[in-house]
Structures are given as C-alpha cells and as structure tokens.
Amino acid sequence: QKEVEQDPGPLSVPEGAIVSLNCTYSNSAFQYFMWYRQYSRKGPELLMYTYSSGNKEDGRFTAQVDKSSKYISLFIRDSQPSDSATYLCAPSEGNTGFQKLVFGTGTRLLVSP
Amino acid sequence: DSGVTQTPKHLITATGQRVTLRCSPRSGDLSVYWYQQSLDQGLQFLIQYYNGEERAKGNILERFSAQQFPDLHSELNLSSLELGDSALYFCASSARGGRAGELFFGEGSRLTVL
C-alpha cells in the first residue's frame, strides 16, 4: 500500500462546477497537509497548507483534513479553465527541519469553458 | 517564476551513459531537494542537501549521486543509465524558517534514455 493514495483522474468538469479532489494516507504521524498544483510542463507550486484536522479556506479553494479517517480533500468553487492542472496532495510529519513531503501521484483536473 | 533554475530542460541520451543535472536554488535558500517524477510513481524524493551537507536520503539509486557546492548550487549525477531512468527530475529549494511543506520547484529536467 502506498503511503498516499490519489485518484489519477482525469476529472473533467464544466466551468463553474464545484470540484472535490481527495487523498487518503496511512501514516498517522502526518501533521501538515499540503496541496500542490502543477501545470503542464511546469514544476509543482504550493496551493494550500493546513495543519492538523479542520478546514482552511483561501478564496475559491478550501482544504479539509480528517485525521481520524486519514482523509484529505480540496474543494474548488466556481472552477475556471485556468484551474486545469494536476493537483498533488503532500502530507508531512513536519517535525524536523527537513521538509519531508510524501506526494500523491496527483489528480488531473480539466475544466472546460 | 519560482526562482529555482534547472538545466538542461531536456536531455536525450543512451543506456549506459552518464548525465549531470544542475540546479540553482532561490537566492538565500540553503536547502536543495531532488525529486524524480514518472507517470506511474509520481513525485519521488531522492535526496536533500542543506548548506553543502547531505541532510536526508530517499529512494535514490546507488547509480545516482548528488552534491551541493559552496555557492549552494547542486548537481545530480546519474550514471549507467537505464531505460527506466527516463523521467522528469525536479529540483526544489526551501527557506529556513519558511512555512512547513513549502518547497519552490524548478521547471524540471526531462531525461529520455534510449
């Protein structure tokens, strides 16, 4: 079993839809939960960062963590064609100076106009 | 633009050969990370350097090695290349005291082994 599991997609939605992207993980020591976005032919960039369980909102994006079920979600409201990218969840134990992120394989999102 | 520079962007070589990938971190960042991204495995952590010293090792093959130089740029050396080494190789850097989990990635070096 992989440490972090993510549905690879692709997930195709029309513009304006609400998108739900999900990850499950197995390591209960993870405390920090990141979502990275990767556009085609580019490096990943940090999108959202959450510590422990709960929700965090940033504009159209909401990150949700349920540590009891080891489930991570990213919601995108009013999705735009510019949101078309691969979304990688990346939890971390975060208790050392080393940013030991474990990346999921990513979910490819396609938002059509 | 993340501020992390990687060269070359593309590289095509043959099995058995050796290549060197180069990375310049963001100005002021002391940590450099190397990741390998393939379609089936996703982003796999290879190795981290902090201010010239190896800090952590991931799934790095013995045929691969890296170093970080006094000017903080880093090189990843891949030798005795195999077809399966074809992948995107990313370098990332992080700021001391920066947000946990925040890595700044370059645009990657795409290696094709024929």
Side-chain angles (χ1 to χ4, degrees), chain A residues 63-107:
Chain A
Q64 194 173 77
V65 176
D66 182 347
K67 290 186 71 178
S68 63
S69 59
K70 298 188 178 68
Y71 198 81
I72 315 166
S73 299
L74 178 70
F75 299 97
I76 307 175
R77 291 186 300 281
D78 187 24
S79 56
Q80 303 294 309
S82 59
D83 296 329
S84 297
T86 297
Y87 291 81
L88 305 116
C89 62
S92 168
E93 294 180 26
N95 57 356
T96 68
F98 164 46
Q99 307 278 31
K100 186 180 177 183
L101 306 181
V102 181
F103 284 88
T105 50
T107 299

